[in-house]
Amino acid sequence: MFARMIAKAFVRQWKKMAMIAFTIALGASLATAMLSVMLDVGDKINQELKAYGANIKVVPKETSVISELYDVGDSTDTGAYLKEDELGKIKTIFWAFNIVDYTPFVSSEAYLDDGRTVDVTGTWFNHHMELPTGEELDAGLMSLRSWWDVIEGEWIDEQQPGGDHAAMVGSTLAQSLDMRAGDKLHLRGSAGDVELTVKGIFDGGGDEDDQIYTTLDCAQLLGGLEGKIDSIEVSALTTPDNELAEQAARDPASLSVSQYETWYCTAYVSSVCYQIEEVITDSVASAVRQVADSEGQILEKTQLLMILITILSMVGAALGICNLVTASVMERSQEIGLMKAIGAQNAAINGLVLTEIMCTAVIGGTVGFFAGIGFAQIIGRSVFDSSISIRPVVIPLVTVLVVAVTLIGCIPAIRMLLGLKPTEVLHGR
């Protein structure tokens, strides 16, 4: 009998039930899309921000100490260097797969044929590495300085013939020297001379526009710095800092064993820095705060926006359900009054109405969930140019939200049912 009454209610009021299902589906689809994007947006935002440079810088310990004591910024004129042969170890740390890219730098002074002094920076451009793990990696400046505008010529390709004796000249310096792509450039350093071909003129928008960038080997040859580097810039996917990460950044020894394990096994920027220091001798790795802080702030604001949209969609769905269910109960008031008159209790009638609405909610929630997955993929492709991974936790979250919103939306109708008097409705009052 109970099932027959529910079935007949669906047949008689199929339009209202369809509207309730549609309202629930709309709310569920928005909740599914927003929750899916929110739970997966961290890595997507980190990937997007990698285009704006490295978020970790590694320098010799002596350089770091002098910079802190005398507030000399990023000065590397200390005579302290890192070892080039340890660069591959960065990809052996616990969070190796989170290391997207990295490149070393070494600076030296050189003289042009006219006696003018220029700053020369040696680095990787698209350096091919055989890692200790057996993997291979192409790393370098081409991805870490992707915002550079190569206004003439092209990037240095180290893997092409002649790429190991090439240079890129900053736009300001190139203009003062009247230099163009394809020109030859003779440099005399304190320890050797090199003949370079200018592959490109770039505009970086900073001090680098007054410098010459060449391969690491050439810059080391000029300064007699074979096997030595000044610093390393690392681009890593990291998790925004919290109180634990901030405490660990100040003093890892202050953590308890369980706190240390949690911190070490979470991709906080301080954790990644600590692990890099473990494998690079006498080094200090620190976060480039402008990038690291931006990642955290953008992620927090984006997630807050997703939560607000989810809440608003659920509130809208609850209001829609409230109006539709109340209208349905008002239309069926004589039927419900008759049920009460022949002895039906409020609990049974409420159970009947709630069962009808919850069955509708199951249909609408299921349709909305799969539609939300589609919306999430559209957002991922249009905003991040990649698909959104659907986390299993989204299913119970959406289920709880749909049930809660449906029940909240039914409250006014339930109150109306409880106050309904059979004598009044049966007499048309």
Side-chain angles (χ1 to χ4, degrees):
M1 178 64 72
F2 189 78
R4 191 187 309 167
M5 293 178 68
I6 292 174
K8 287 190 175 181
F10 272 96
V11 172
R12 289 196 308 270
Q13 292 194 314
W14 66 271
K15 290 184 179 179
K16 278 194 172 54
M17 292 301 180
M19 285 300 297
I20 292 172
F22 176 77
T23 302
I24 294 172
L26 187 60
S29 64
L30 285 172
T32 301
M34 293 301 102
L35 289 172
S36 298
V37 173
M38 184 185 72
L39 293 173
D40 197 49
V41 76
D43 289 346
K44 300 293 185 295
I45 287 179
N46 276 327
Q47 289 282 11
E48 291 290 319
L49 288 175
K50 293 311 111 184
Y52 297 97
N55 55 352
I56 295 174
K57 186 168 185 177
V58 188
V59 298
K61 187 175 293 184
E62 184 178 335
T63 300
S64 176
V65 171
I66 292 177
S67 296
E68 291 178 3
L69 286 176
Y70 300 103
D71 192 23
V72 292
D74 294 330
S75 174
T76 56
D77 299 329
T78 62
Y81 298 96
L82 301 172
K83 299 177 181 178
E84 182 185 355
D85 58 8
E86 292 185 337
L87 286 169
K89 293 182 179 179
I90 293 178
K91 288 291 285 184
T92 64
I93 65 172
F94 182 83
W95 288 108
F97 290 108
N98 283 50
I99 304 296
V100 178
D101 200 359
Y102 65 99
T103 189
F105 293 90
V106 65
S107 299
S108 62
E109 264 191 0
Y111 297 93
L112 300 172
D113 289 336
D114 60 5
R116 196 180 321 190
T117 304
V118 291
D119 292 326
V120 179
T121 300
T123 186
W124 292 343
F125 290 88
N126 60 335
H127 187 75
H128 184 75
M129 293 184 65
E130 302 283 344
L131 300 175
T133 58
E135 301 174 86
E136 297 183 356
L137 173 71
D138 289 327
L141 208 66
M142 287 180 67
S143 57
L144 284 179
R145 296 289 189 276
S146 59
W147 68 87
W148 278 10
D149 181 17
V150 181
I151 56 181
E152 186 180 337
E154 59 186 4
W155 283 94
I156 293 174
D157 187 350
E158 296 182 36
Q159 300 175 34
Q160 292 295 323
D164 56 343
H165 277 74
M168 295 187 70
V169 182
S171 56
T172 304
L173 180 61
Q175 186 176 5
S176 67
L177 298 175
D178 192 25
M179 188 169 291
R180 306 184 66 84
D183 290 351
K184 296 296 183 180
L185 184 63
H186 181 251
L187 298 176
R188 290 181 292 109
S190 60
D193 297 6
V194 293
E195 185 82 24
L196 304 175
T197 301
V198 178
K199 293 292 290 183
I201 309 296
F202 69 88
D203 182 6
D207 294 339
E208 60 268 21
D209 290 342
D210 283 312
Q211 299 177 12
I212 295 172
Y213 278 74
T214 184
T215 59
L216 193 65
D217 290 341
C218 287
Q220 289 171 335
L221 178 62
L222 286 170
L225 302 172
E226 286 78 2
K228 299 176 182 179
I229 54 177
D230 293 330
S231 62
I232 310 167
E233 289 188 8
V234 182
S235 179
L237 299 176
T238 58
T239 300
D241 283 353
N242 57 13
E243 187 176 344
L244 174 62
E246 291 171 359
Q247 179 184 349
R250 291 190 296 268
D251 182 14
S254 66
L255 302 178
S256 65
V257 175
S258 60
Q259 287 177 324
Y260 180 85
E261 290 178 353
T262 301
W263 169 72
Y264 195 90
C265 297
T266 305
Y268 299 120
V269 67
S270 57
S271 173
V272 177
C273 288
Y274 183 80
Q275 293 172 32
I276 290 174
E277 291 176 1
E278 289 181 319
V279 297
I280 303 296
T281 306
D282 294 331
S283 68
V284 173
S286 57
V288 180
R289 279 297 160 194
Q290 294 91 330
V291 177
D293 291 347
S294 294
E295 289 177 359
Q297 292 172 7
I298 293 173
L299 179 58
E300 289 174 3
K301 290 178 181 179
T302 303
Q303 290 179 332
L304 178 61
L305 176 62
M306 300 295 177
I307 292 172
L308 288 175
I309 293 175
T310 302
I311 293 173
L312 291 175
S313 68
M314 291 292 100
V315 170
L319 291 174
I321 293 169
C322 175
N323 291 332
L324 291 167
V325 176
T326 301
S328 174
V329 170
M330 290 177 65
E331 286 184 9
R332 299 170 61 187
S333 59
Q334 288 191 340
E335 174 191 342
I336 294 169
L338 180 60
M339 291 171 62
K340 283 191 173 186
I342 61 177
Q345 300 296 317
N346 283 331
I349 298 173
N350 289 340
L352 176 66
V353 173
L354 286 175
T355 302
E356 294 171 1
I357 303 305
M358 291 309 297
C359 289
T360 307
V362 169
I363 297 171
T366 303
V367 173
F369 175 77
F370 288 105
I373 292 176
F375 290 153
Q377 300 309 320
I378 292 172
I379 294 171
R381 289 293 178 186
S382 60
V383 178
F384 302 108
D385 197 28
S386 64
S387 60
I388 297 293
S389 301
I390 306 301
R391 308 296 174 90
V393 72
V394 172
I395 299 174
L397 284 175
V398 172
T399 301
V400 169
L401 286 173
V402 168
V403 171
V405 165
T406 303
L407 292 176
I408 292 171
C410 289
I411 290 175
I414 298 300
R415 292 182 63 186
M416 180 182 293
L417 282 174
L418 294 174
L420 191 146
K421 296 180 180 179
T423 54
E424 293 181 356
V425 297
L426 290 177
H427 285 85
R429 295 196 297 272

